[in-house]
């Protein structure tokens, strides 16, 4: 009888914990802010167009030492407008949609923050200064047009809001991991007509 009672108590405890976890998750989910990318706030730094701020319907990070494709990185400036330093941030994610059939190689995607204010006229020959002390890495595996990827940028959002405050300008590049492999990661930009594939910033926060 004692074993049975203990079992019942254990099950009840698990149910209480489960309900609390679910309630907590629902509470966190209610406090989410989603930021889209405004016009002229996403661009590529492209070695084939060294003096241009490249604004296509795709954002490309590429690394190559063999010829064939150019090197490039891209910048997205999320206009959070002081939101990040007015709330306690639980987590933050950049949501990107891979461009169809235009990603290959397995080099890691590195996301860093700009050390200063975003400008819409950055280019390959006029790159922004990057704060390389804080960054996040994302291993791009099995990316396809059927699914989005979410990159955890919580550390970047918290650091930037404490140091700078206003928006969140991020630069995406590929790490130099394999000198014999062409590496290419391509995502939809904010210039395409389908808003669902635009880059987004999701911020989960406390009031």
């Amino acid at each position: 009888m004692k074993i049975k009672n203990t079992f019942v108590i254990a099950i009840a405890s698990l149910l209480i914990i489960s309900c609390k976890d679910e309630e907590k998750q629902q509470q966190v989910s209610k406090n989410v802010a989603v930021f889209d990318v405004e016009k002229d706030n996403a661009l590529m730094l492209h070695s084939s167009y060294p003096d241009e701020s490249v604004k296509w319907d795709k954002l490309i990070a590429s690394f190559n030492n063999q010829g064939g494709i150019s090197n490039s990185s891209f910048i997205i400036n999320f206009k959070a407008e002081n939101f990040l330093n007015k709330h306690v941030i639980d987590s933050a994610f950049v949501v990107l949609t891979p461009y169809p059939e235009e990603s290959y190689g397995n080099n890691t995607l590195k996301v860093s923050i700009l050390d200063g204010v975003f400008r819409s006229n950055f280019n390959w020959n006029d790159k922004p200064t990057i704060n390389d002390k804080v960054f996040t890495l994302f291993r791009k595996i099995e990316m396809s047009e059927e699914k989005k990827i979410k990159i955890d940028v919580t550390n970047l959002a918290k650091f930037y809001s404490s140091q700078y405050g206003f928006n969140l300008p991020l630069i995406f590049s590929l790490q130099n991991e394999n000198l014999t492999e062409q590496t290419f990661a391509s995502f939809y930009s904010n210039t395409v007509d389908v808003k669902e594939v635009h880059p987004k910033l999701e911020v989960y926060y406390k009031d």
Side-chain angles (χ1 to χ4, degrees):
M1 187 68 177
K2 185 177 180 181
I3 295 175
K4 184 176 179 181
N5 289 339
T6 303
F7 178 76
V8 171
I9 292 171
I11 293 296
S13 299
L14 287 173
L15 288 172
I16 292 171
I17 292 171
S18 176
C19 289
K20 286 183 177 179
D21 288 344
E22 185 177 353
E23 183 179 337
K24 182 180 179 181
Q25 181 61 43
Q26 287 177 349
Q27 184 177 3
V28 170
S29 298
K30 288 179 183 177
N31 294 321
V32 56
V34 180
F35 298 92
D36 296 320
V37 184
E38 296 185 9
K39 184 180 179 182
D40 295 328
N41 278 260
L43 59 90
M44 278 195 294
L45 312 176
H46 204 299
S47 63
S48 293
Y49 309 90
D51 297 316
E52 296 182 27
S53 303
V54 181
K55 297 168 185 175
W56 293 344
D57 62 348
K58 51 190 169 184
L59 298 166
I60 303 170
S62 60
F63 184 85
N64 174 52
N65 274 330
Q66 294 182 325
I69 60 174
S70 304
N71 292 336
S72 63
S73 55
F74 62 88
I75 302 172
I76 302 177
N77 180 46
F78 291 102
K79 299 190 75 172
E81 297 184 350
N82 285 328
F83 181 91
L84 298 177
N85 61 5
K86 288 182 178 179
H87 299 83
V88 178
I89 301 170
D90 285 325
S91 58
F93 300 88
V94 171
V95 182
L96 299 174
T97 305
Y99 206 86
E101 300 178 0
E102 289 201 11
S103 292
Y104 55 83
N106 291 314
N107 287 32
T108 299
L109 191 64
K110 182 179 181 180
V111 187
S112 306
I113 54 179
L114 271 57
D115 189 13
V117 179
F118 168 80
R119 294 198 337 256
S120 61
N121 61 345
F122 282 127
N123 56 57
W124 184 262
N125 286 338
D126 182 21
K127 297 184 180 72
T129 303
I130 299 172
N131 187 325
D132 214 27
K133 295 178 181 178
V134 184
F135 58 87
T136 191
L137 301 175
F138 180 82
R139 171 67 69 177
K140 50 188 203 66
I141 298 175
E142 297 180 356
M143 293 196 310
S144 69
E145 65 271 25
E146 282 80 28
K147 69 175 186 178
K148 300 177 184 295
I149 65 168
K150 294 183 72 169
I151 303 175
D152 191 336
V153 295
T154 305
N155 59 333
L156 303 180
K158 289 183 175 181
F159 179 83
Y160 201 85
S161 63
S162 65
Q163 297 294 318
Y164 303 94
F166 200 58
N167 298 319
L168 184 62
L170 303 174
I171 184 166
F172 300 73
S173 57
L174 292 180
Q175 287 199 297
N176 178 359
E177 296 178 353
N178 188 343
L179 299 181
T180 63
E181 181 186 64
Q182 292 184 340
T183 309
F184 198 84
S186 182
F187 306 93
Y188 281 101
S189 184
N190 62 323
T191 58
V192 297
D193 293 333
V194 183
K195 193 173 182 179
E196 286 75 15
V197 301
H198 289 185
K200 290 180 175 56
L201 174 68
E202 296 179 353
V203 180
Y204 296 83
Y205 65 97
K206 294 184 179 70
D207 291 327

